Amino acid sequence: MSQSKKEMMNRALSAMTINIGKAGVNENVIEEIKRQLKANEIVKLKFAKNIARDKDDYIDEIVTKTRAKLIDVRGHVAVIYKKKP
C-alpha cells in the first residue's frame, strides 16, 4: 500500500458510503461495492444497528469477494480500499 492509513482515512471522509441494511449482503450489494471501488478506490460501509453483531462476518465476505483491503472499522462503519488496476 503506497498510501498511509492516515492518508486513506482522510480520503475516506469524502468517500462513497454504502449502507448495509437488515437484508445483509447479497450479490447486488457486492456488485455495487465493486463498482464504487473501481471508480473511487475507497468505500465506506455503514452497517445497520440491527445487524451489527454479524458485521465482522459481512466484512470478511465483502473483502474476500471484492479482493479489497480492510483499512479500518469504527463502530458500525468499515472502510475498504482497492487500488485501481
Side-chain angles (χ1 to χ4, degrees):
M1 239 182 288
S2 59
Q3 299 178 19
S4 72
K5 181 177 176 180
K6 184 176 181 179
E7 289 170 333
M8 283 198 244
M9 291 306 293
N10 284 336
R11 283 182 60 195
L13 292 173
S14 60
M16 172 72 180
T17 301
I18 296 177
N19 293 303
I20 312 291
K22 64 183 176 183
V25 175
N26 58 35
E27 285 308 309
N28 292 334
V29 172
I30 295 291
E31 289 305 314
E32 181 60 25
I33 293 169
K34 285 180 181 178
R35 276 194 293 279
Q36 294 302 325
L37 284 169
K38 189 173 185 179
N40 305 311
E41 290 187 338
I42 293 179
V43 174
K44 288 190 290 189
L45 307 169
K46 186 173 182 181
F47 294 88
K49 288 180 176 68
N50 59 345
I51 64 163
R53 69 183 182 282
D54 300 323
K55 175 181 66 182
D56 292 336
D57 294 333
Y58 288 135
I59 291 170
D60 289 342
E61 179 182 353
I62 290 166
V63 167
T64 301
K65 289 185 177 179
T66 62
R67 296 189 181 125
K69 292 187 173 157
L70 178 64
I71 303 301
D72 198 17
V73 178
R74 294 187 185 178
H76 299 295
V77 179
V79 177
I80 59 173
Y81 168 82
K82 184 174 181 184
K83 186 167 177 62
K84 287 184 182 179

